[in-house]
Amino acid sequence: MPKESNVTEDRLHIQALVPLLVLSIVEYEVFTFSKATVTAANQDAWLSILIGAFIGSIFVYLFIKLAARFPSMNYFQYLQIVWGKPIGFLISVLYLLFWVSFLSSIFYETVLINKLLFLPLTPTIVPLTIFALSLIWLVSYGLIPIIRFFQLLLPFLVIPLLFLGLLFLVTIKIERFLPVLENGILPVLKGSYLFLGAYQGPEVLLFAAPFFLRIREGVKASLLAYNLTVFLGFINTVAAIGILCVDNIKEAVLPGINVVNLLELPGFPVERFGLLLTLPWLIGIFTTLAIYLHLLYSGVFQLFKLRPQKWILFLVTAIPVTIAYFFPNENLHEVLRLYLTVFTVPMVYLLPVMTLLLAIIRKKGRVR
């Protein structure tokens, strides 16, 4: 397996941050988080997203500032410099546990999608094995090949979703967004929190920073990538409210699929638009699994001073796959997703900003 310590020989241009962040953030929940956001804010969920996007953009900007202080190190490496070895090690272990839970949830969602949309009679172990083996093959080559793979897949994710957004415009009913702020601002703020919680992924740039040339110049690319994913989520939520209405969203299992199935364009040569959502959905799930499996794998051998070996990758992959296989039911999965959403804000957003503030106070890392 190629050693990533040779990254200085093959660093990526800063523009590669766009596919990395877009495909790290977009996954199963981005197409269903409208349910949680709408449950909190009702028809004002669109406002929750705008507020959450502004807050999230500030966090992404600060992430670049943090990465720029330690341009040749990843997040786990300078956590122990900034916080001290015991606390830094403990925080890193918390991330590993968080990623195991997150990966277990997404692996389980691959089974759900297969049952709902593709091959409902196929045994659970089949899609799990296919995903696991293909991910092991990709992750074994290291982060740079993963990012280059993301660059190839980005158009197949974004173009169908943007086209769907155009189709939604002719079907949305404006009256379903009224009255604005019917229940005040607090539900909107709660919806903003849930929006941020649905967007795991921006912290990936803290681990990928050493693989990029001049990471300090990555503000524009990072903000572009983050807000592109926000725009895709915004389209999905506005369409869900304007087509399904709030009450139907709360009762739906997969609002994104329901919205697409209701699209009717008389005279249009295509009658079913499911592929425009399911293809990006599968791409989003696979790429998110790939990047987080890489982070989990590299984090394990980095924290515990192990040599990168394939048997470790197989073992690390087997843990979330096994959890997903023995997951008892969809209700428990929804509970896990809710906890992950709640804990994403402190783990993904607040801890890196606290690390930046502490690094500034303790004068750690580069100032410029």
Side-chain angles (χ1 to χ4, degrees):
M1 183 179 67
K3 293 183 178 180
E4 293 184 351
S5 59
N6 296 328
V7 69
T8 54
E9 300 176 6
D10 185 20
R11 285 196 171 188
L12 296 163
H13 192 276
I14 207 67
Q15 292 177 348
L17 277 173
V18 175
L20 172 64
L21 290 182
V22 170
L23 289 167
S24 297
I25 295 172
V26 174
E27 42 94 9
Y28 177 90
E29 195 173 10
V30 172
F31 300 106
T32 60
F33 83 94
S34 58
K35 182 175 180 179
T37 313
V38 170
T39 300
N42 294 316
Q43 68 271 16
D44 295 320
W46 63 273
L47 185 56
S48 296
I49 294 176
L50 295 180
I51 295 173
F54 176 75
I55 297 171
S57 296
I58 294 174
F59 279 117
V60 171
Y61 171 79
L62 295 175
F63 288 0
I64 291 293
K65 294 300 179 183
L66 174 59
R69 295 184 74 92
F70 305 91
S72 61
M73 305 172 70
N74 69 44
Y75 188 44
F76 279 179
Q77 290 173 318
Y78 56 78
L79 271 176
Q80 298 192 23
I81 295 174
V82 176
W83 290 90
K85 287 188 177 181
I87 298 178
F89 181 83
L90 178 60
I91 293 174
S92 299
V93 171
L94 289 176
Y95 273 101
L96 296 182
L97 295 175
F98 181 79
W99 292 337
V100 168
S101 302
F102 185 48
L103 286 167
S104 301
S105 176
I106 302 181
F107 273 118
Y108 181 75
E109 287 150 10
T110 64
V111 176
L112 287 181
I113 291 175
N114 184 66
K115 288 182 178 179
L116 291 172
L117 302 177
F118 301 112
L119 301 170
L121 300 181
T122 303
T124 300
I125 194 62
V126 174
L128 286 175
T129 302
I130 293 173
F131 266 85
L133 292 177
S134 56
L135 287 164
I136 288 171
W137 172 79
L138 177 60
V139 171
S140 66
Y141 285 95
L143 185 60
I144 289 180
I146 291 175
I147 297 174
R148 298 200 186 282
F149 179 68
F150 284 11
Q151 290 176 307
L152 296 175
L153 289 183
L154 184 62
F156 298 98
L157 176 94
V158 173
I159 293 175
L161 294 180
L162 293 178
F163 182 66
L164 263 182
L166 292 175
L167 298 180
F168 288 150
L169 289 177
V170 301
T171 314
I172 290 173
K173 297 180 179 179
I174 301 299
E175 62 270 17
R176 290 181 174 170
F177 296 89
L178 301 174
V180 177
L181 293 177
E182 180 182 20
N183 298 313
I185 193 65
L186 287 180
V188 174
L189 296 177
K190 181 180 178 182
S192 296
Y193 185 95
L194 293 173
F195 161 80
L196 288 173
Y199 271 59
Q200 298 97 341
E203 80 282 11
V204 168
L205 70 84
L206 299 175
F207 296 90
F211 297 85
F212 285 87
L213 293 167
R214 299 185 298 277
I215 189 63
R216 66 181 179 277
E217 298 176 6
V219 172
K220 291 182 180 179
S222 299
L223 290 178
L224 172 63
Y226 182 77
N227 285 287
L228 177 58
T229 62
V230 169
F231 180 68
L232 297 176
F234 183 82
I235 291 174
N236 180 266
T237 302
V238 168
I241 297 172
I243 297 174
L244 288 179
C245 85
V246 170
D247 291 337
N248 289 331
I249 293 172
K250 292 179 180 179
E251 295 177 1
V253 177
L254 299 173
I257 290 293
N258 293 348
V259 170
V260 173
N261 289 338
L262 289 176
L263 277 178
E264 293 183 1
L265 298 176
F268 198 77
V270 177
E271 294 183 1
R272 296 180 63 86
F273 300 93
L275 182 63
L276 292 175
L277 187 61
T278 53
L279 177 61
W281 209 343
L282 288 172
I283 291 173
I285 285 181
F286 184 83
T287 52
T288 302
L289 282 170
I291 192 65
Y292 278 98
L293 186 59
H294 168 80
L295 293 182
L296 180 62
Y297 168 54
S298 60
V300 165
F301 69 70
Q302 180 181 319
L303 286 180
F304 299 102
K305 312 298 183 185
L306 302 174
R307 292 182 59 189
Q309 297 183 36
K310 277 195 175 180
W311 72 267
I312 299 177
L313 178 55
F314 273 91
L315 178 61
V316 165
T317 306
I319 294 172
V321 168
T322 303
I323 294 173
Y325 180 76
F326 288 104
F327 228 79
N329 52 58
E330 294 180 27
N331 291 331
L332 187 59
H333 165 258
E334 289 191 7
V335 172
L336 174 61
R337 265 296 187 174
L338 179 60
Y339 279 112
L340 287 171
T341 299
V342 171
F343 282 106
T344 289
V345 175
M347 291 292 294
V348 170
Y349 292 97
L350 295 180
L351 261 175
V353 172
M354 292 172 62
T355 302
L356 173 61
L357 293 176
L358 189 59
I360 293 172
I361 293 171
R362 300 187 62 189
K363 299 180 180 179
K364 300 293 185 178
R366 296 180 183 179
V367 177
R368 293 185 180 181

